Amino acid sequence: VTFMKRKFVDQLKWINEKEMLDFTALAQSSPGAIAVNAAILVGWKICGFAGMLVAVLGTILPPMIILSVISFFYAVFVNNIWVAVLKGMQAAVAAVILDAACDLGINAAKEKSILSGIIFIAAFVCDFIFQLNVIYIILAAVVLGIIKTFILRYREMKS
């Protein structure tokens, strides 16, 4: 996001600083990677759907390509001492995931939604106690969110 601000606000002057701050706030409050969310918003502002598509691809493709190349060669270097050091990064990854989970929990508590609280606790229990695959937990949360949305819209239409 800092790079995007430097490039799009300071150098190219495609957007102003207030817009960048607004985009950053939206990107942080949306699910997903902040850089990708900000790229979506800036790309859309600059050039509509095509700008959004190019911005997302420009944000996602380089890391994906680098990780693909690294994972391809990982099997060859798995016994190398320097590659073994990467195992220490698991603690950092765990900390990042814990931070994200705490943020989600705090947001669910601020919402004061019983359903959000139940989903948060159920997801935690399913993941850490029952070791259920995270994909299933995410899909279940998506289904519950869709059902909740339809129920709310049905109540609005009925009123």
Side-chain angles (χ1 to χ4, degrees), residues 119 122-124 126-128 132-142:
I119 290 172
F124 180 82
C126 289
D127 183 38
F128 287 105
L132 188 66
N133 190 322
V134 177
I135 298 298
Y136 299 132
I137 297 170
I138 293 170
L139 290 174
V142 166

Side-chain angles (χ1 to χ4, degrees), residues 46-63:
I46 303 301
C47 197
F49 183 78
M52 177 186 70
L53 191 61
V54 169
V56 169
L57 289 175
T59 304
I60 293 174
L61 284 179

Side-chain angles (χ1 to χ4, degrees), residues 100-121:
C102 289
D103 285 345
L104 290 172
I106 290 168
N107 288 338
K110 285 180 184 175
E111 237 180 70
K112 295 183 181 168
S113 166
I114 294 171
L115 180 62
S116 295
I118 291 170
I119 290 172
F120 178 74
I121 292 168

Side-chain angles (χ1 to χ4, degrees), residues 22-67:
D22 290 344
F23 289 162
T24 303
L26 283 170
Q28 288 176 331
S29 64
S30 301
I34 295 171
V36 175
N37 293 339
I40 289 170
L41 295 167
V42 171
W44 184 268
K45 168 77 172 149
I46 303 301
C47 197
F49 183 78
M52 177 186 70
L53 191 61
V54 169
V56 169
L57 289 175
T59 304
I60 293 174
L61 284 179
M64 283 182 62
I65 292 169
I66 291 168
L67 287 173

Side-chain angles (χ1 to χ4, degrees), residues 21 28 35-36 42-43 47 52 55 66 68 71 74-75 79 83 85 91 95 113 125 130-131 146 154 157:
L21 287 172
Q28 288 176 331
V36 175
V42 171
C47 197
M52 177 186 70
I66 291 168
S68 297
S71 68
Y74 181 75
N79 293 325
V83 174
V85 171
S113 166
V125 168
F130 297 119
Q131 310 258 313
I146 291 170
Y154 177 75
M157 289 173 35

Side-chain angles (χ1 to χ4, degrees), residues 86-102:
L86 294 176
K87 292 193 182 256
M89 292 179 63
Q90 290 176 341
V93 171
V96 169
I97 291 171
L98 180 62
D99 181 52
C102 289

